[in-house]
Amino acid sequence: MQDLQFLESPERGVLLMDVNYVIRCANPRAAEIFNTKLDQLIGFTLPDWIKTRPQNPKDTIEEVLYPDYKVGMVLHRYSGPVYGASGEITGRIELYSDITARRRLETEILERNRQLAELNKRLQKAQEELLRSERLRTLGEMAAGIAHDINNALGIVLGNVQLAKRLLKDNPGVSKCIDSIELAARDAAETVRKLKEIGKPVDRSHYRPLDLSKLAESVATAAIPTWQESGKQIELITEFEPDCTVNGDEAELREALTNILFNAVQAIKEHGTIKVATKCNGNEVLLTVADNGIGMNDEIKKRVFDPFFTTRGSAGTGLGMSMVAAIAMRHEGKVAIESEEGKGTVVVLRLPKAE
């Protein structure tokens, strides 16, 4: 055992203890790791900062230690029994390895992995936004190509409807049918208009500074009669910060907020709460609409910005949130949705703050 003190192990400190856990032998590396001298180890028990001691002579201990004498140092400790030739326990052996550099490398690798995961998440989100933008652009080009012809046809239908209404005004049964034709034609014309809006090219020359808080307050106030007529009991909560100014088209931003707000109303069955808020966040202005309605599952959330996707059947066109996304992009902003089925939905419109 005495020869152990001359072992030049570059990695491990080695201690041999008797059955009373008194150190009887140690190598120079152990003295280095414990920041002391060999003669201050031999004949003594383990220092107090090593808390874990064997409860039974046969116990094996393996742990990571953080010595109090050197900030940032990390040690790996192995402690186990030593057996004699006849199988009896004659003492313990303690092995200590300085794993500070390895732990630092592991921490760096974990941090790099976290950064890569975050970067991959951002890249995936950017790809999704790019695909969404491309779908909207393609849809807009298609709409622009056919809108003229469709509007011409609808113009002929509506013109003849007006003529028929005058000629058959004394025939209530026929007039009712004609009214239905007129309503369907006007709905079709509105759908074409929305399609053209989605793919409208970006022209910011007419943009002007707008107080988003005042605009949001105006839209929210105007929407109250709509849900009152539906019989729903909805509490409207507003939190508007001052000086939330953006550059934009007032009519477009009003339409975007109206679509978001009406979706929130439709998500509430009988009674609930809708919160509309604005907040200045650095170089951004955040417009948030939150409801405690039925919420959305993950599948619906993935498709909510897809043109013509709707959960309302024939009652919806599926263009509302597509228009919101298109308006946000034209204003160099983004729209995001957080939703949980049965708990509600939060829609956040992020727009650049006006300088």
Side-chain angles (χ1 to χ4, degrees), residues 86-151:
S86 59
E88 79 281 8
I89 295 177
T90 59
R92 292 189 72 81
I93 184 169
E94 299 259 340
L95 304 177
Y96 294 86
S97 302
D98 186 346
I99 60 171
T100 305
R102 190 176 78 188
R103 270 302 171 95
R104 188 181 299 118
L105 181 60
E106 288 173 353
T107 302
E108 289 176 1
I109 291 173
L110 288 173
E111 177 60 21
R112 291 291 177 86
N113 286 341
R114 187 195 66 78
Q115 291 176 356
L116 284 172
E118 181 65 24
L119 187 62
N120 186 56
K121 187 178 178 181
R122 290 181 183 177
L123 180 61
Q124 187 176 4
K125 191 173 181 180
Q127 287 175 332
E128 290 173 356
E129 290 179 356
L130 184 62
L131 287 172
R132 184 196 307 166
S133 175
E134 184 62 23
R135 282 198 301 266
L136 292 174
R137 185 188 67 79
T138 303
L139 183 63
E141 289 177 355
M142 179 190 72
I146 65 174
H148 179 71
D149 293 338
I150 293 177
N151 281 332

Side-chain angles (χ1 to χ4, degrees), residues 43-114:
F44 297 91
T45 57
L46 293 174
D48 292 338
W49 57 266
I50 301 178
K51 304 295 184 184
T52 307
R53 304 300 166 95
Q55 301 299 311
N56 184 292
K58 295 182 179 181
D59 286 350
T60 296
I61 300 170
E62 193 165 2
E63 63 178 343
V64 174
L65 301 173
Y66 301 89
D68 57 4
Y69 58 81
K70 189 173 181 180
V71 177
M73 188 178 193
V74 185
L75 297 176
H76 176 267
R77 175 197 180 196
Y78 171 83
S79 175
V82 174
Y83 293 91
S86 59
E88 79 281 8
I89 295 177
T90 59
R92 292 189 72 81
I93 184 169
E94 299 259 340
L95 304 177
Y96 294 86
S97 302
D98 186 346
I99 60 171
T100 305
R102 190 176 78 188
R103 270 302 171 95
R104 188 181 299 118
L105 181 60
E106 288 173 353
T107 302
E108 289 176 1
I109 291 173
L110 288 173
E111 177 60 21
R112 291 291 177 86
N113 286 341
R114 187 195 66 78

Side-chain angles (χ1 to χ4, degrees), residues 285-302:
V285 175
L286 275 58
L287 172 62
T288 304
V289 178
D291 68 71
N292 61 351
I294 58 175
M296 292 179 275
N297 58 35
D298 290 339
E299 185 60 31
I300 293 176
K301 211 164 33 171
K302 287 177 183 177

Side-chain angles (χ1 to χ4, degrees), residues 83 243 265:
Y83 293 91
D243 303 321
V265 173

